Amino acid sequence: MMRAVLIDDEISNLENLRTLLEKHCPQVTIIATAQNVSDAVDVVEKYTPDLVFLDIQMGEQLGFDVLKQLPTRNFEVIFVTAYDQYGIQAVKSAALDYLLKPIDIEELMNAVYKAEHKLVTQIQTSQLDFLLQQLKKPETNVSKIALQMQSEIRYINLSEIIRCEADNTYTHFFLASDEKILVSKSLKEYADLLRPNGFLRTHQSHLVNPKYVKSWLKEDGGILLLMSGERIPISKPNKDTVKQALQQL
């Protein structure tokens, strides 16, 4: 069983999340709730939960302030947010789970399963510390991301990433070191995360770091030739966007 604390400034959201967890996630026991940063800090320190569901925006306060005020953070966090707002890019870059309101049941169950897996396997990470460091930077200035693998979490400089390739709901990362990393998240999620840093979505299955582009080949509608010799297709819907981006380098 995972002992959980729910933190949200709106009582209706707390009640809805409690109902969903009790119905669909029997491995979770709710031990306390809180509706503001101060109470949340007190509750987490008092009950030492395994799992915290943390609303990002709580009135004029931010859920991140709860993490900043805790001397130790020995628990898993699932962030909850009403929309794609401040801080969500940092949450994504730290490979932390988040849920969008209204909460989707399947996404909730999946997030809880992953939290349970990390607790059971005792994967030691510094994800929350990494998140707080990322929050100090402008959201478009992410220089490093966390990639959650089966037995570890790797922290990778964006400059090391040559390209990403979709594999159903997984993503392959190809690094400058010739290493290949498989991550259980979709390419779309990484495209959304890395687009502000200049990465190019050339195709439904491909995301490219323009730093490693050698040339544009005028064949088959357009192909990017990378410095590694790899040839990456450019789909017709993405052709103009990719061309414009490369012209601005």
Side-chain angles (χ1 to χ4, degrees):
M1 297 295 292
M2 288 186 290
R3 301 163 62 255
V5 166
L6 315 185
I7 302 170
D8 195 302
D9 64 322
E10 296 186 21
I11 188 65
S12 59
N13 289 334
L14 289 174
E15 291 174 349
N16 179 60
L17 181 54
R18 178 189 290 274
T19 299
L20 292 176
L21 288 169
E22 289 176 346
K23 184 175 182 179
H24 301 285
C25 303
Q27 69 273 51
V28 175
T29 299
I30 300 166
I31 56 175
T33 63
Q35 290 182 255
N36 58 61
V37 169
S38 177
D39 288 349
V41 171
D42 290 342
V43 162
V44 172
E45 288 188 315
K46 178 179 179 181
Y47 292 101
T48 60
D50 304 307
L51 177 62
V52 172
F53 287 86
L54 182 58
D55 187 20
I56 291 180
Q57 188 75 48
M58 296 189 290
E60 298 300 317
Q61 298 179 302
L62 292 172
F64 302 124
D65 293 327
V66 176
L67 302 177
K68 293 175 182 177
Q69 294 180 33
L70 288 168
T72 58
R73 297 179 285 272
N74 299 321
F75 49 82
E76 294 299 322
V77 177
I78 297 174
F79 289 93
V80 184
T81 178
Y83 50 94
D84 202 351
Q85 58 188 356
Y86 166 77
I88 200 67
Q89 289 292 87
V91 169
K92 292 178 181 179
S93 71
L96 289 158
D97 276 313
Y98 67 95
L99 300 169
L100 291 176
K101 301 175 185 177
I103 295 173
D104 179 85
I105 294 172
E106 186 173 342
E107 291 179 0
L108 171 64
M109 295 172 66
N110 187 48
V112 168
Y113 169 79
K114 286 191 284 185
E116 184 179 28
H117 175 73
K118 285 198 284 185
L119 288 168
V120 170
T121 56
Q122 296 183 326
I123 298 176
Q124 296 299 314
T125 74
S126 55
Q127 283 172 280
L128 294 178
D129 292 335
F130 181 71
L131 167 65
L132 296 179
Q133 287 296 319
Q134 295 291 75
L135 287 169
K136 296 177 183 179
K137 307 173 184 178
E139 289 209 51
T140 57
N141 194 32
V142 173
S143 60
K144 182 178 286 191
I145 63 171
L147 300 181
Q148 187 165 320
M149 302 162 67
Q150 186 172 3
S151 60
E152 64 175 314
I153 292 181
R154 291 280 299 279
Y155 296 92
I156 305 293
N157 290 317
L158 299 191
S159 59
E160 298 178 55
I161 303 170
I162 297 176
R163 67 184 185 91
C164 306
E165 183 174 339
D167 184 357
N168 293 317
T169 58
Y170 290 79
T171 300
H172 293 280
F173 279 76
F174 296 81
L175 306 183
S177 62
D178 290 331
E179 186 176 6
K180 182 179 175 182
I181 295 176
L182 180 64
V183 182
S184 59
K185 285 189 178 181
S186 70
L187 183 66
K188 181 185 183 305
E189 184 156 351
Y190 287 111
D192 293 342
L193 175 61
L194 297 175
R195 188 176 292 111
N197 296 88
F199 279 67
L200 304 175
R201 184 75 179 267
T202 68
H203 184 277
Q204 183 178 0
S205 299
H206 297 280
L207 182 68
V208 174
N209 185 344
K211 172 183 174 182
Y212 294 96
V213 174
K214 182 177 181 180
S215 61
W216 176 303
L217 303 179
K218 297 179 180 180
E219 55 184 77
D220 297 329
I223 291 176
L224 289 187
L225 178 64
L226 304 187
M227 294 177 183
S228 62
E230 294 174 292
R231 298 158 64 95
I232 307 300
I234 305 169
S235 65
K236 187 174 181 179
N238 293 327
K239 185 174 181 179
D240 290 341
T241 301
V242 173
K243 183 176 289 186
Q244 290 173 12
L246 290 175
Q247 289 172 347
Q248 294 172 9
L249 292 178

